[in-house]
Amino acid sequence: MIKKDIWKQFDRKNVLVTGGTGMIGRKICDLLTENTSAHVVSVSMDRITKGDSKKMVYLYGDLSDFKGFYDVLKENNIHYVFHTAGIKGSPKMTKEKPASFFVPLLQMNTNVLEASRMAGVKKLIYTSSIGAYPAFKIIDQLEGFDIYKPLEVFKESDNGPLPPMDEYPGYAKRMGEYQIDAYKIQYGLNYKFVRLGNVYGEGDNFDADNAMVIPSLISKINNRVGLKEVRETAPVIVLGDGSAIRDFCYSEDIAKGIILALMYDGGKTSTFYNLGAGKGFSIKEVVENLKDITPFEYNYSEEKSKPSKRILDTTLAQQELSFNPEIILRKGLERTWKWYIENPQEHLLRKNYFK
């Protein structure tokens, strides 16, 4: 997916990855250290020790500390920034703990972008979310009233002023996008952002109480499989009825797409790109794939739920970035499951904003 001339642009560059111990950030760090001579600095609040090397340095740092982050940029003479640090949580957490999304997201995004601008960072890319899209689109007007249509497949041209789909985290993500737009208008900075679908992979938040669907399921399954006596009597409970459709994409493919988006300077169609599988998978498909990987029993929490579909249209990224996800769902789930059972406690070392 990434050609040699792209990798060469990182040679002898100093690159900073926020959240470099997280699900997407660690993949970006690995790809850069494996394919370039760049010096990579990771900054995160995870207590994960991966070991420094000549190519890679891991720093513990709070992105809400403006001066601390600015000093890291200046001391390491950073040329490029990948801002992948964020907060992932289940829909339940969005409803019950909106401030845990909203406040730290605003703080870290504002600080990372402004400190990077002041430090003279040349290239920066920020990871936003499908949740920043509006849930509806105005398709007509009748007698002074707007007529709305629910969105199921999201294109970059659907970006608009309607409230974001995920409300509190969606607004926080949008503020980062607006900040980037403001920099382009006032300072001519070509900082970028991408909107991501449902990303999964190694290094995710696997806390079953507040994680997204795939890591939550994997955590629950592992707990059940480890207790033979409760496999039959205590099946895994899958929220909903399995019919919800989401754009699930493996973290390594997303990391490659983010690298391509940062280095591409020819885009004129849109100010940002969608990165995802570009197609939908039902929760039932995910569950059945996991069941093939490791047998377990399960029940749905509802007999029937409202139809729900959220898919990113990735045509623009395919055409302009040559973005083409390579890891199919089954293979991505196998890799994620294998990593988790080998590292079942690592998520406890990650910063958890909900506890």
Side-chain angles (χ1 to χ4, degrees):
M1 191 191 302
I2 302 179
K3 297 179 180 179
K4 288 183 179 180
D5 60 324
I6 299 293
W7 292 127
K8 285 182 180 179
Q9 295 180 55
F10 287 97
D11 287 343
R12 294 181 298 279
K13 293 293 191 298
N14 298 321
V15 181
L16 185 142
V17 182
T18 68
T21 52
M23 177 179 59
I24 298 172
R26 69 176 57 197
K27 292 292 186 181
I28 292 175
C29 291
D30 290 344
L31 288 166
L32 291 176
T33 54
E34 290 167 6
N35 295 284
T36 78
S37 64
H39 178 66
V40 184
V41 178
S42 162
V43 179
S44 83
M45 291 185 69
D46 298 336
R47 298 290 184 180
I48 298 172
T49 303
K50 294 178 71 68
D52 295 345
S53 67
K54 290 182 179 179
K55 281 190 172 185
M56 186 80 222
V57 174
Y58 291 92
L59 301 177
Y60 178 85
D62 186 352
L63 299 181
S64 65
D65 175 7
F66 179 85
K67 184 179 184 304
F69 184 70
Y70 175 81
D71 289 345
V72 169
L73 292 171
K74 294 298 288 185
E75 289 167 6
N76 292 276
N77 188 29
I78 298 298
H79 302 102
Y80 304 154
V81 169
F82 290 89
H83 181 27
T84 69
I87 302 171
K88 285 188 70 180
S90 65
K92 183 173 183 284
M93 290 298 101
T94 307
K95 293 177 181 178
E96 295 180 358
K97 297 186 177 182
S100 295
F101 279 103
F102 191 69
V103 177
L105 277 175
L106 286 177
Q107 289 176 327
M108 71 172 71
N109 292 342
T110 302
N111 284 349
V112 168
L113 294 173
E114 181 66 359
S116 297
R117 181 191 72 80
M118 292 180 62
V121 171
K122 300 300 181 185
K123 288 180 179 286
L124 177 147
I125 191 160
Y126 158 61
T127 53
S128 187
S129 165
I130 189 174
Y133 274 111
F136 299 89
K137 182 178 182 179
I138 299 173
I139 59 171
D140 205 348
Q141 193 173 64
L142 182 64
E143 297 180 354
F145 292 94
D146 292 328
I147 300 175
Y148 297 92
K149 176 185 178 182
L151 283 171
E152 294 184 340
V153 180
F154 301 83
K155 299 181 180 181
E156 289 86 351
S157 57
D158 292 324
N159 196 33
L162 293 176
M165 189 162 33
D166 287 345
E167 197 169 7
Y168 293 100
Y171 272 120
K173 288 290 188 180
R174 274 199 194 175
M175 290 302 102
E177 298 174 359
Y178 287 149
Q179 191 172 343
I180 286 174
D181 289 342
Y183 285 169
K184 189 167 189 176
I185 294 169
Q186 185 167 341
Y187 303 115
L189 280 176
N190 191 27
Y191 288 178
K192 301 175 181 179
F193 67 91
V194 289
R195 284 183 176 171
L196 310 180
N198 290 60
V199 189
Y200 69 96
E202 303 93 323
D204 204 344
N205 169 21
F206 286 90
D207 188 323
D209 293 331
N210 53 60
M212 299 293 281
V213 59
I214 287 179
S216 177
L217 280 171
I218 287 175
S219 177
K220 292 176 181 177
I221 292 165
N222 186 51
N223 289 338
R224 292 293 187 272
V225 170
L227 299 171
K228 294 181 180 180
E229 67 275 12
V230 300
R231 284 190 197 180
E232 299 294 334
T233 59
V236 171
I237 302 301
V238 182
L239 297 180
D241 66 353
S243 65
I245 294 174
R246 296 290 182 265
D247 188 319
F248 293 111
C249 195
Y250 182 58
S251 55
E252 185 174 307
D253 282 326
I254 293 297
K256 290 178 179 178
I258 293 169
I259 291 170
L260 288 168
L262 176 73
M263 305 310 292
Y264 183 69
D265 293 321
K268 296 181 181 180
T269 310
S270 175
T271 58
F272 68 96
Y273 295 97
N274 288 335
L275 297 180
K279 58 184 178 181
F281 303 92
S282 71
I283 303 300
K284 181 176 176 59
E285 286 179 81
V286 172
V287 173
E288 288 298 324
N289 271 281
L290 286 170
K291 188 173 181 179
D292 286 342
I293 295 168
T294 180
F296 65 96
E297 298 300 319
Y298 69 91
N299 289 326
Y300 292 112
S301 65
E302 300 176 31
E303 290 186 5
K304 189 174 183 181
S305 56
K306 293 181 180 179
S308 176
K309 185 177 180 181
R310 295 168 63 168
I311 304 172
L312 287 172
D313 184 322
T314 59
T315 303
L316 190 62
Q318 293 172 27
Q319 294 174 344
E320 296 192 356
L321 306 180
S322 298
F323 172 70
N324 183 31
E326 299 166 332
I327 307 300
I328 62 172
L329 180 66
R330 175 59 176 271
K331 184 182 290 186
L333 291 174
E334 286 176 347
R335 289 185 179 184
T336 305
W337 170 259
K338 182 177 184 296
W339 179 89
Y340 178 70
I341 61 173
E342 293 174 352
N343 303 273
Q345 303 300 313
E346 189 193 276
H347 72 279
L348 300 175
L349 302 175
R350 297 193 61 197
K351 171 69 175 177
N352 193 324
Y353 286 89
F354 307 110
K355 291 188 173 179

